[in-house]
Amino acid sequence: MQADVLTGASLGCHVLTVLTALSIQDSAGMEDVQALGPEFIDDQARCLLEDMTVRAFKVGALYTPESVSAVAQIVADYPDVPLVVHLGADAPEINDAESEETVDETLAAMLELLVPQAHIVVVDHRRLDHWFTDDILPKGEAENAVQALLALGPDHVLVTGVPHAGGSPVNVLAGASPQAEAWSWRRLPGTYRGAGSTLSAALASLLAGGLELRQAVIDAQQYTRRSLEAGFQPGMGRTLPDRLFWTRRGAPANGDDEGETTP
């Protein structure tokens, strides 16, 4: 959440936050999490939404089906506000069958209640392919994982880190059109924490600023890439994106990264 505030502020947004859980984590990963009750989540959001105009929603980490249901009911009341759903938040280590069941139920709730409302879903390809292979993601008549996710109802899906014959992975934007668009993503050395959340927060911020979706996707990738290139290692864990690098060096002109249309 602190990271999303930095991302939004550097892109010109006043970020409003709603806590869904309290966590114990550092630059290496998450150790434990305590989910907040759905009533408390709802009260936080309604208080803000009744006071201020919100131009985009970004949903990240949710840890119980009840939390998912609460958030889904909130965003359903604002169908004209773009919703960015990031399916890829860090989770604490699972040590027992009950915790594993909760994780599975929470994902099922997100796929059923939140993903269908999304303007765009951001997800790493390895995670998505795993869900498709293990029948966690309903397949229906879909031939691949992206089609299966789109069949649930989101307007668009942005899949990150897709392997490409050229060597560098690509990010793929898919929607109702039979044509998808892909952007090359230069692989950086080292291990990073927070790339996906930075990308999705930047995307929400740019949509809130009024950009149309394709340009928001392009600019969010540029912002994330440059934040990672300027990343720093504050502790003994992974490298963190420098989300304020954008404000110190200035934004690139729109269209620096041209898309490549793929089937």
Side-chain angles (χ1 to χ4, degrees):
M1 188 163 290
Q2 292 169 303
D4 285 357
V5 170
L6 293 176
T7 297
S10 65
L11 291 170
C13 286
H14 177 68
V15 179
L16 306 177
T17 60
V18 174
L19 286 169
T20 61
L22 301 174
S23 64
I24 301 172
Q25 59 180 306
D26 58 16
S27 60
M30 184 177 294
E31 294 185 11
D32 199 3
V33 65
Q34 178 64 56
L36 299 179
E39 298 85 0
F40 192 72
I41 295 172
D42 185 80
D43 286 347
Q44 290 180 81
R46 301 294 181 185
C47 183
L48 293 171
L49 289 164
E50 290 171 7
D51 182 47
M52 289 176 268
T53 299
V54 172
R55 302 192 183 279
F57 292 115
K58 182 245 178 177
V59 176
L62 295 170
Y63 298 103
T64 67
E66 293 78 14
S67 298
V68 175
S69 179
V71 173
Q73 291 177 49
I74 293 163
V75 297
D77 291 339
Y78 298 85
D80 296 329
V81 178
L83 169 62
V84 179
V85 174
H86 177 216
L87 296 177
D90 284 346
E93 292 186 9
I94 299 173
N95 298 317
D96 56 72
E98 183 177 353
S99 298
E100 185 173 358
E101 183 178 359
T102 299
V103 170
D104 292 343
E105 291 175 349
T106 301
L107 175 59
M110 292 193 73
L111 294 175
E112 179 182 354
L113 301 177
L114 269 176
V115 166
Q117 300 188 61
H119 188 52
I120 183 167
V121 175
V122 180
V123 61
D124 178 80
H125 89 95
R126 290 166 296 187
R127 192 181 302 261
L128 185 60
D129 287 347
H130 166 70
W131 294 338
F132 187 73
T133 302
D134 289 3
D135 293 323
I136 298 171
L137 179 65
K139 291 183 178 179
E141 299 180 358
E143 297 179 0
N144 56 57
V146 175
Q147 290 181 5
L149 191 57
L150 283 169
L152 297 180
D155 294 335
H156 304 86
V157 172
L158 178 62
V159 185
T160 62
V162 179
H164 190 263
S168 296
V170 297
N171 295 341
V172 177
L173 176 66
S177 169
Q179 295 293 316
E181 195 165 9
W183 292 268
S184 178
W185 183 263
R186 186 171 70 253
R187 194 181 301 278
L188 298 174
T191 57
Y192 294 82
R193 183 156 190 239
S197 60
T198 303
L199 177 61
S200 54
L203 184 51
S205 300
L206 293 162
L207 291 172
L211 286 186
E212 55 87 20
L213 180 73
R214 181 181 181 274
Q215 191 62 56
V217 169
I218 292 173
D219 287 3
Q221 291 178 96
Q222 293 173 353
Y223 170 84
T224 303
R225 185 187 66 199
R226 293 187 177 210
S227 297
L228 291 172
E229 289 173 342
F232 62 104
Q233 190 174 11
M236 296 182 290
R238 288 176 282 172
T239 300
L240 304 183
D242 181 357
R243 298 170 176 91
L244 295 180
F245 176 81
W246 191 259
T247 61
R248 289 197 291 270
R249 290 295 184 90
N254 287 347
D256 280 1
D257 290 338
E258 289 301 325
E260 173 188 338
T261 302
T262 58

